[in-house]
Structures are given as structure tokens and as C-alpha cells.
Amino acid sequence: MADPGHTTTLRGCLGELSVVQSYLEGVGWGLEQLREAREELKEVSRALGKAGVESSRNAEGVKALEMMREVSVNHCQLLAAVSNLPRLYSVQSMVSETERLVESRRLLEAHARLMELECWQDDILWQLHGAGAPGTAGTALSAQDEELVRNYFSGVGKLVEALGKELWAVVGSGLALARQNPTPFVSAVRIVEREEALDQAMLEERGGAGGHSRPLPSGRPRCWRERFFQVLEEAVSARFRSVSYLHTRGPGLAGHLSALQHGIMGDLATVRHLLDHCVPPHYNLTRAYLRACHRCLQSHLGQVSGWELESGEIFAVLNWVLHIYNSSDMMGHPDLMVEMESEELGPLISQECLEQLQNKYVHSVRKSVSEWMHKALEVELTDWQRDQEPDTDHEGFYLTSLPTIITQMLEENARVALMVSESLRDQTIQMGLYEMENLLNRFREALVEFGKEHRRDQSTNQNKFYLHYLLASISNCIILKTSTESLQQQLSSRSASRFSRTPPGPLAALDRAVRRACRLVMDQLLLELQPFLQGLLSRSWLAQGDVTVTLKLCGVLERHFELYSRVRPPCRQRLQEECQWLTVVEYVRVLMQKRLVCRNAEERRQLAQRMALDAQHLRDLFQGLVEVEGSVSEVNPMALLPVLADFIRLKDPSMLTLEVSGLVAKYPDISDEHVSVLLDVRGDVSRDVRGTVLDLLEQSTPPLPAGYRPIFSDILVPTPSMPFCLPTAKCA
């Protein structure tokens, strides 16, 4: 039995021998192919040798053929020259005749002659190139020969320029010709179309021919159709070239824009009804004219926007651009909308330019408003010095010319701005509110100075109507507040976000001015009450028992209340309330001065009785004069005087603690100094009772309730003066 390992080894050797045999067979086949290739190369080499010998033999014959070729080309050129002699002799006469046709504007005939001359020139140059000889290749024409031909036909180039000049003059005056005699314009369009067809034919011939294609003649392609539309746009823009800054100042700019409107619409009507029928439909002449007008207006209005314009001029531009231009009277006309939508034309001025114009408008209006407000305030200050009462309106309220001037000016500016856009209206109102705030700040300063001047001149009593004009100022502020609120209501909800500055605060400035005026009115009331207040709550006043001083004081109050009725609500009620507060506060202030300290129970009874009587007089007066809705505070100041009278009338001092508790409950702002003075006025309070009462006050300090208006906070207790004495043992 054979060994398996030896069998495997034998099989591997046999496989390797088979591979080697296949390789040797391939090498033998390759060597055979190489031998065959060598034999073929030898045959080719012998054939090339024979061809070289034959070529050398024919070299002399080729030289003879070259000479024949040159003779043939010269013959062709001479033949072309001889055949074109009649044309060459007639070139100058043709040029002269064509010039006369151009000058007489017989454009179609002139163009036909020009085309014939150009054709001659092109043919002669092509023939001289040698391309016309059959069986021969074209040769390059020498630069000298070509220059000779072009100089001979130089009149043709001048004719092209002359014809073009006349042609574009006709196209530029097409609107005028269309209304009179459109024939020249029609001829010009036909010539343009001929030239366009020639350009196209030559380009197609050069693009589709082989290597023998003619070169494009000089000046081709002329692109006269494109030039036609350029001339049309130049004619449109010509109406703007003569416009200057000086010619359109003030009302002239509005007139200029109006003239543009009528001129453009008239031209468009001529184009639609006349010129459009003189051109091929694919010209879309009306559309082209619309675009030309739009582009020229864009350029012109960009120039106008750069001028130093006043507010009225800017308004005219903005109104024309935003409303008139796109209205049915201009580009929004139904007949024009058929040709082109306004959106295709785009905006007449850019958004950036529009915003710049609006800002310039607001700045110009602001300058004017500021000047008018300054003048109005000067007039107001002059009115304050008049020796007569202020004017009254139909309701009997005092007023001056200031609020009417300011209100009408701001409302008119807002109304005019709204004719342009809501955005401009908002900007104008914001500007007006800023200026209103500035005016009211100056107005308040003027009120302060008015009060100082009145106090300085009080001895001479120069201004008898000082109080009247203060009240008129308050009524003016109320009118201005109503106007301000109306303007603020007109603002759109988006306007606040468009302004980076702090929003104007005219209402706050109005409130400050009203407060200052009311304060001056109260100062004047106090000044008139002061002589009568000095006579109250003194020992002589108590002893005489006369109510004359109180009645005189009531007379002053009654006269003031009568004047307050000339003030518009709600300030009328505010003045009436302040008058009551001031009267009570000053009455209690006199009491706090301790002019009268009771010596016994009878004096306490008399003092309490007189205080209650005075309170009754004042209450009766105010109830007859004050309007029901006048008081806005939950605390009635007139109720304080009877309470203080009861405090003084109390017979049992031990009950003072309870009385003070009730007083603190009603008037939580009362201080221990006030109570201490009241105890002093009674004159019968022992040290122990005083200590108990003051300790009670110190322990109970209730917070001020909501809506409570402090009254004792306005009443200062005089600081007790320290008595001067020698340093004796008793003083120590």
C-alpha cells in the first residue's frame, strides 16, 4: 500500500511541470510574432525610400505651380477691380446724393443708398481678399491695400454718422412728431428694423459658414434697436435736465411736481394712442416708456431729496411719491395697469431715502413748532401784565390765547402728516409732545418768576389781576391736557417701539405746572388771609367777642371761591379743597402759637364756644360754595375745629386721656408736640396728667390709613424760646 505523503508530493511536482510547459509555449509564440513584425518593417522602410526619391523628383514641378497660383490670385484681384470700376466711379456721386437725402430727412431713401454703398465696399474688400477665385484659397489683403479701399469709401462712414444723428433726432422728438406728422418716426423705426435684420443676418452668416466666411464689416453689429430705446429714455430724461434748485423753491416745487404729473400722463397718452401703432408689437413701447419714466423720476427725485428743503417742500415730495404717483391719476390708471403692474416698477424712492425725508420733515416742523411755541409763550407773559381780566370762553372759564395756538398747531401738523403716512403722523405727534413738554417746563418757570415779581411789587399793587391770570393758566393747562391726551390716542400701537428716546412726558409736566399754579394761588390766599388770622385766638379777640374778623376772613374766602368758579374742572374742585385745607391749617397754626392760654374754666368755655362759632361760619360758607363732588379726600378738614373746641371745652382733665385717644384715632398724624400745645392752651393740666397723655401718645402710633391726607403734618409747632436768666440756684 502506497504512502499518502509521497502521493501528495508527486501530484504537486506534476502541476509545476505543466505550468512551466505552458509558459515555454507562450514564449515561442511571441518570438514568432516578433520575426513577422521585423519583416513587415523592412517592407515599409523600402516603400518610404521609394517615396522620398519620387518627392525629390517632383520638387521642381511644385515651384512652377506656386507661381501659377500667385498669377491666378493677381488675375482675380484685377478682374474684381475691372468689374467694380463703374461702381468705384459712382461712389462719390452716390455719397453726395445720399448726404442731400439725409439733410432733407428722406431717411428711407438715404438708408437704401447707404446700404448699397456699404454692400459695394464689403464686396470689393472681399474680392480683393481673393475669395472669389474658384478653386483657390483666400489670401490676406495687405494693410496698405485695405487702408486704400477704406479711405476711398470714407464718406460712407460719415454718412452712417449723419444718418444716425438725424435718425435719433427723429426718435427723440417722436412725441411731437406723433401729434403732427408721424411719417418720419415710422421711417426711423423701419430703418432700425432693417439694420437689426442686417446685424442678425451677418452674425448668422459668420456663425454658420466654414473657414471661408466673410469678416464682419467695420461698425457691425450696430445694435440700433437697443440704441432706439436708449434715445427714448434720454428724451424722457431731457425734461428733468433743466430743473434747478432755484427754480423749484417753495411753492415752485409743488408746481413742478404737478407739471411733471400732467406732462408724463400726456406723453403716455400719446405713446399709447399714437406711437404704439408706429412700431412693431414686440417693441412694447408703452411698457418701455413707463420704465424710462420711472427710472428718470427715480434719479430726479433722488436729486431733489438731497436739496435743503423746507417742511412744505418735503411734504409735497412725500405726498407726490406715496400717493399721487401710484394713484389712478398716474401709474395706477387702469389703462396703464394693463401694460404693467406698479409692483414691477418698484418704489420711486428707496426706504432709506424715504426715512431720511421723513426725518428731515419732522426736524423742519420741529424747528417751526419750537419757534411758534416760544412766540406764544412770550405773548402769554405779555398778557399776564395786562390791566384787565383774562378773556373767558363760552362757558365763562378764564383762558388766554396760548392753548388755542398750541392745540391748533399740533393738531394741524398731525393732520397734515397723516396725509402722507401713519408713520409720519406718529413721528410728528411724538415730536409735538416733546416740544409740549419743553414748553410746559418753561411755562412753570415763568409762573415761578411771575409769583416772585408779584411779591416784589406787592407794595405798589401794580398787577391787580395777578390771581386771575394764575387761574387762567390753570384752565389753559386743562385744555392742553385734553389736547395732549387726544394726540396720544392717535398714536398707533407700534409707534413706541420705533423711538429710541425716552417717551415724552407732557402730562407729568402739565401736572407740575398745575401744582405750581395752585400753590401760587394758595400763597396769594394766605397773603390775603394773614391780616385777619393775626387777629384770631388772642386774648383781646376773646374779650371783645366780636365776629367781625371772622366775617372779613369769610369775605376773602368767598371772593376767592367766586374766582375759582372761573377755572375748569377738576382743578376748580381741587382749588376749593385746598382752600378749605389752608384755612383750617392756618387757623390751627394760630392756635399752636399759644397767643391765648386759658386761666380758668370760663375762658376755656368761651374759647371753645368762639372756635365752634368760627367753625360754623366757615362750614356754612364752604357748604354754600363747594361743589358736592369737590372733595377728593376722605378727611373733612372742617371737622377738626369742632374736635379741638371739644378738647378745650372738656371740664374734667382726667378724661383727657380718653379724649386724646379719640383725637389720635381720627387724626393719626398728630404729634406729641401738637397735643402738648393743646394741653398748654387749656391751662389746667397737671404734670401727672400731661405725662400720662404723652406716654399714651408715645405708645400708640397707628399707621396712616389708605386715602388719609395728613393735616397736622402741615402744622408746625413753634419752637419754644429758652428764657434768659442769671445762673441762680433756682434756675439751676
Side-chain angles (χ1 to χ4, degrees):
M1 188 173 181
D3 186 1
H6 291 290
T7 304
T8 303
T9 304
L10 182 60
R11 288 175 180 174
C13 292
L14 290 174
E16 292 177 358
L17 289 173
S18 176
V19 171
V20 170
Q21 183 179 359
S22 298
Y23 176 74
L24 291 175
E25 290 175 356
V27 171
W29 180 82
L31 292 173
E32 184 65 26
Q33 293 293 322
L34 289 173
R35 282 192 293 270
E36 292 177 2
R38 184 179 62 181
E39 293 299 327
E40 290 177 359
L41 286 173
K42 288 180 180 179
E43 290 294 330
V44 171
S45 179
R46 284 193 293 268
L48 287 174
K50 292 179 181 180
V53 173
E54 291 295 329
S55 176
S56 299
R57 292 175 181 175
N58 295 328
E60 295 297 330
V62 171
K63 291 181 180 178
L65 290 175
E66 288 293 337
M67 294 177 62
M68 290 182 65
R69 184 193 301 275
E70 292 178 5
V71 171
S72 175
V73 170
N74 291 333
H75 175 74
C76 289
Q77 291 179 345
L78 290 172
L79 178 63
V82 171
S83 61
N84 284 292
L85 280 177
R87 295 181 180 178
L88 293 174
Y89 283 126
S90 62
V91 164
Q92 297 304 322
S93 60
M94 283 274 289
V95 168
S96 300
E97 184 179 354
T98 307
E99 286 178 350
R100 288 193 296 272
L101 292 173
V102 170
E103 291 173 357
S104 60
R105 280 202 173 179
R106 294 162 64 182
L107 301 182
L108 283 175
E109 298 177 46
H111 185 252
R113 298 295 179 87
L114 178 61
M115 290 173 63
E116 187 176 356
L117 286 169
E118 287 181 326
C119 184
W120 290 358
Q121 179 183 5
D122 192 19
D123 288 345
I124 290 172
L125 286 173
W126 178 239
Q127 291 173 14
L128 290 177
H129 270 286
T136 63
T139 59
L141 185 64
S142 67
Q144 184 177 4
D145 292 341
E146 185 173 357
E147 184 68 21
L148 178 63
V149 174
R150 295 197 182 280
N151 287 337
Y152 190 79
F153 283 90
S154 61
V156 176
K158 295 178 182 179
L159 280 177
V160 173
E161 295 178 1
L163 178 63
K165 184 177 180 181
E166 289 296 325
L167 193 69
W168 307 134
V170 169
V171 173
S173 58
L175 291 172
L177 291 173
R179 299 185 185 102
Q180 300 169 4
N181 178 21
T183 302
F185 184 81
V186 174
S187 300
V189 174
R190 290 179 63 184
I191 292 171
V192 168
E193 285 303 295
R194 284 181 186 175
E195 288 292 329
E196 195 71 18
L198 282 172
D199 286 345
Q200 191 66 26
M202 290 182 179
L203 289 173
E204 290 176 357
E205 179 184 348
R206 272 62 177 178
H212 299 293
S213 61
R214 295 189 183 190
L216 279 174
S218 177
R220 292 285 182 182
R222 291 197 175 125
C223 303
W224 275 12
R225 186 188 293 168
E226 180 181 347
R227 178 60 181 156
F228 172 88
F229 289 104
Q230 291 177 356
V231 171
L232 186 71
E233 184 164 344
E234 290 172 3
V236 174
S237 64
R239 67 170 60 255
F240 306 114
R241 293 173 186 164
S242 60
V243 177
S244 69
Y245 176 62
L246 294 177
H247 294 161
T248 56
R249 290 292 294 156
L253 182 57
H256 167 65
L257 294 174
S258 178
L260 280 181
Q261 174 187 353
H262 291 95
I264 290 173
M265 295 307 294
D267 292 348
L268 283 170
T270 302
V271 171
R272 283 191 297 114
H273 298 303
L274 298 177
L275 283 186
D276 224 354
H277 302 292
C278 300
V279 298
H282 62 81
Y283 270 48
N284 292 319
L285 192 60
T286 302
R287 179 185 292 257
Y289 198 85
L290 276 171
R291 289 187 180 278
C293 287
H294 189 75
R295 284 193 293 267
C296 292
L297 280 174
Q298 282 178 322
S299 175
H300 179 60
L301 290 175
Q303 177 189 4
V304 171
S305 300
W307 295 344
E308 292 295 329
L309 302 176
E310 299 293 338
S311 59
E313 298 169 321
I314 300 174
F315 171 80
V317 173
L318 290 173
N319 185 57
W320 199 85
V321 168
L322 297 178
H323 299 292
I324 296 177
Y325 183 71
N326 293 315
S327 69
S328 59
D329 294 331
M330 280 199 74
M331 296 305 175
H333 193 280
D335 294 340
L336 298 181
M337 295 292 287
V338 174
E339 297 291 339
M340 179 180 294
E341 295 290 338
S342 59
E343 288 77 8
E344 296 183 45
L345 295 174
L348 200 53
I349 59 176
S350 65
Q351 184 63 29
E352 180 182 1
C353 183
L354 180 64
E355 292 176 358
Q356 289 177 355
L357 273 178
Q358 290 184 345
N359 292 335
K360 286 171 66 175
Y361 175 81
V362 174
H363 178 75
S364 178
V365 172
R366 181 169 198 162
K367 181 180 178 182
S368 175
V369 167
S370 179
E371 292 175 354
W372 273 102
M373 285 187 173
H374 182 73
K375 292 178 181 178
L377 184 58
E378 288 182 348
V379 172
E380 177 75 3
L381 299 184
T382 303
D383 288 345
W384 290 353
Q385 305 301 326
R386 291 195 305 176
D387 193 21
Q388 63 183 48
E389 277 191 279
D391 298 330
T392 56
D393 61 11
H394 64 283
E395 297 179 273
F397 299 128
Y398 283 143
L399 84 165
T400 60
S401 60
L402 179 67
T404 303
I405 295 173
I406 302 303
T407 299
Q408 290 180 352
M409 178 170 53
L410 296 182
E411 291 179 351
E412 178 66 15
N413 284 329
R415 185 188 65 80
V416 171
L418 183 59
M419 295 171 63
V420 174
S421 68
E422 186 177 295
S423 170
L424 185 61
R425 188 271 313 272
D426 290 346
Q427 286 183 262
T428 304
I429 290 178
Q430 288 277 7
M431 174 276 299
L433 295 178
Y434 279 119
E435 290 302 316
M436 172 85 81
E437 183 179 5
N438 294 335
L439 170 73
L440 291 170
N441 289 333
R442 296 195 302 269
F443 183 75
R444 184 170 60 87
E445 294 170 0
L447 284 173
V448 173
E449 188 60 33
F450 188 41
K452 291 179 180 179
E453 182 181 351
H454 177 70
R455 286 193 294 273
R456 286 194 300 266
D457 300 338
Q458 186 177 351
S459 58
T460 59
N461 196 23
Q462 288 186 355
N463 195 338
K464 296 183 294 185
F465 298 98
Y466 167 74
L467 180 60
H468 303 69
Y469 281 100
L470 285 178
L471 299 176
S473 298
I474 296 173
S475 289
N476 290 345
C477 289
I478 297 171
I479 298 174
L480 291 175
K481 179 181 180 181
T482 304
S483 174
T484 300
E485 291 173 343
S486 173
L487 290 172
Q488 288 179 331
Q489 290 173 1
Q490 295 180 42
L491 288 173
S492 63
S493 58
R494 303 183 304 273
S495 62
S497 61
R498 290 198 292 262
F499 296 91
S500 58
R501 294 180 55 188
T502 303
L507 293 179
L510 273 167
D511 186 61
R512 290 192 296 269
V514 169
R515 287 179 181 274
R516 174 54 59 186
C518 290
R519 184 68 263 169
L520 291 173
V521 171
M522 292 300 105
D523 289 346
Q524 180 64 20
L525 174 61
L526 178 59
L527 188 66
E528 296 183 23
L529 291 178
Q530 203 64 43
F532 308 109
L533 291 172
Q534 296 296 328
L536 295 175
L537 301 173
S538 63
R539 188 162 296 280
S540 60
W541 168 78
L542 184 63
Q544 293 174 1
D546 190 6
V547 296
T548 305
V549 176
T550 304
L551 294 177
K552 290 181 178 179
L553 186 144
C554 290
V556 173
L557 294 173
E558 185 175 1
R559 186 176 67 85
H560 271 256
F561 265 72
E562 182 182 354
L563 290 177
Y564 298 164
S565 65
R566 299 298 186 94
V567 179
R568 288 181 171 274
C571 285
R572 177 174 61 216
Q573 293 88 340
R574 179 176 177 177
L575 287 171
Q576 291 171 351
E577 180 190 355
E578 290 299 320
C579 180
Q580 295 179 68
W581 278 89
L582 182 137
T583 303
V584 173
V585 166
E586 293 303 321
Y587 192 97
V588 177
R589 194 193 306 276
V590 173
L591 180 64
M592 292 290 123
Q593 293 174 0
K594 295 191 294 187
R595 297 178 185 175
L596 175 61
V597 176
C598 298
R599 300 171 182 173
N600 49 49
E602 179 61 24
E603 286 189 355
R604 284 192 292 277
R605 184 191 66 78
Q606 292 179 4
L607 175 58
Q609 184 178 359
R610 289 296 305 276
M611 288 179 62
L613 183 61
D614 288 348
Q616 185 62 41
H617 281 302
L618 293 174
R619 187 182 301 109
D620 294 341
L621 172 68
F622 291 140
Q623 285 180 348
L625 298 175
V626 177
E627 298 181 3
V628 175
E629 69 276 13
S631 180
V632 296
S633 173
E634 296 182 0
V635 179
N636 181 11
M638 296 308 306
L640 177 60
L641 297 184
V643 171
L644 296 180
D646 292 340
F647 183 87
I648 294 172
R649 184 185 293 113
L650 187 65
K651 296 180 180 180
D652 186 0
S654 63
M655 298 295 293
L656 285 174
T657 303
L658 183 60
E659 190 72 19
V660 169
S661 298
L663 189 61
V664 172
K666 291 182 179 179
Y667 303 98
D669 63 318
I670 192 169
S671 66
D672 53 352
E673 289 88 355
H674 294 115
V675 174
S676 180
V677 170
L678 291 175
L679 296 176
D680 290 342
V681 171
R682 281 185 57 87
D684 64 339
V685 182
S686 64
R687 181 177 298 178
D688 294 338
V689 174
R690 179 185 294 271
T692 303
V693 171
L694 295 179
D695 289 342
L696 173 66
L697 279 175
E698 187 175 352
Q699 294 173 5
S700 60
T701 54
L704 300 181
Y708 174 80
R709 178 178 176 180
I711 186 169
F712 280 96
S713 300
D714 296 333
I715 304 172
L716 299 179
V717 177
T719 304
S721 58
M722 295 297 295
F724 175 77
C725 62
L726 294 173
T728 61
K730 184 177 181 181
C731 288

